[in-house]
Amino acid sequence: MQIRIIKNETELACAAADIFEETITNKPNAILGLATGASPVLTYKELIRRYEAGLISFKDVITFNLDEYCDLPRDDKNSYFTFMQENLFKKININPENVHIEDGNAENFDAEAKAYDDKIAAAGYVDLQLLGIGTNGHIGFNEPADTFTEGTFRIRLSESTIRANSRYFTDSKMPEYALTMGVGSIMKAKKILLIATGEAKAEAIYNTVKGPVTPHCPASILQTHPDAVLLLDEAAAERL
Ligand code: GLP
């Protein structure tokens, strides 16, 4: 695991965007695994800036998002579909046919999960997977558990995640379930880039880096990945 501690969020976003730019430059039809939440917002802004400056093109890029809430209309302001449109896809030259996000309103969640994994496999697996981290060490929506999860599946969100993410649901009830890539799917990515900022993430980062590899801190599995990079600000890194 490579750990880089970066002074401020702007520089951190630039460092993350550099890794994206390198991936897309080397492989214009790269498969990107994308994340939502506050952590990647500045990185997406920097990618948009580089696209507008003519430095990168997303014309042939293919994306798979980590997760999506269940039973939330796709056009709800809090769906991850909407998040991705607003924070990235609307502002770059990506082909909408190359964008994949789980359907949280599928009639059959198991079939949707299997189809999603099949699409990732058929595309040749993710080249660069971006991750945030939950305060309990979750990645995607893989909550602490007794075993590591494998492929995409439907999960009941933990109380701590519901508490942490409820801040976004100001006028509707936060969903209790989500579809998420499993830890096994995430680990198949050739390169993984985790971004964490702020002291609320310090304990999760400590457990990820210094703790045992355990499904009770799902992000700790990154210790076993051959090419995982953690970009941290000083507050998130304060316990290392
Ligand atoms: C959600 C997402 C995760 C994200 C986490 C942290 O639970 N499913 O992918 O990493 O929130 O979000 P934030 O970056 O807003 O702290």
Side-chain angles (χ1 to χ4, degrees), residues 69 98 117 127 139 227:
Y69 289 112
N98 289 346
D117 286 337
D127 292 301
I139 46 177
D227 192 5

Side-chain angles (χ1 to χ4, degrees), residues 36-39 66-67 80 132-134 138 140-141 161 165 167-168 201:
T36 51
S39 307
L66 276 171
D67 46 17
Y80 287 165
I133 185 168
H138 77 226
F141 267 132
T161 298
N165 290 9
R167 67 185 191 272
Y168 298 115
K201 303 292 171 71

Side-chain angles (χ1 to χ4, degrees), residues 119-170:
K119 273 186 248 169
I120 298 173
Y125 296 104
V126 169
D127 292 301
L128 174 62
Q129 176 67 58
L130 181 63
L131 296 177
I133 185 168
T135 49
N136 61 2
H138 77 226
I139 46 177
F141 267 132
N142 292 278
E143 300 284 21
D146 290 339
T147 51
F148 283 114
T149 57
E150 290 175 16
T152 302
F153 70 110
R154 179 175 178 253
I155 188 160
R156 189 189 175 103
L157 301 173
S158 71
E159 283 307 317
S160 93
T161 298
I162 291 178
R163 222 176 302 124
N165 290 9
S166 292
R167 67 185 191 272
Y168 298 115
F169 290 82
T170 45

Side-chain angles (χ1 to χ4, degrees), residues 5-18:
I5 300 168
I6 298 176
K7 275 219 149 42
N8 65 60
E9 286 190 315
T10 314
E11 279 177 34
L12 195 148
C14 281
D18 285 347

Side-chain angles (χ1 to χ4, degrees), residues 170-188:
T170 45
D171 34 51
S172 60
K173 190 171 176 293
M174 166 149 177
E176 288 174 11
Y177 289 88
L179 282 174
T180 181
M181 279 189 199
V183 171
S185 332
I186 292 169
M187 288 294 283
K188 285 199 180 107

Side-chain angles (χ1 to χ4, degrees), residues 182-235:
V183 171
S185 332
I186 292 169
M187 288 294 283
K188 285 199 180 107
K190 290 162 197 122
K191 186 178 187 87
I192 298 182
L193 170 60
L194 184 145
I195 295 179
T197 57
E199 62 177 347
K201 303 292 171 71
E203 188 184 348
I205 290 298
Y206 174 83
N207 291 332
T208 298
V209 176
K210 301 270 191 194
V213 176
T214 164
H216 293 285
C217 175
S220 64
I221 191 96
L222 299 180
Q223 291 177 28
T224 69
H225 192 280
D227 192 5
V229 180
L230 269 56
L231 295 182
L232 312 173
D233 72 353
E234 287 176 349

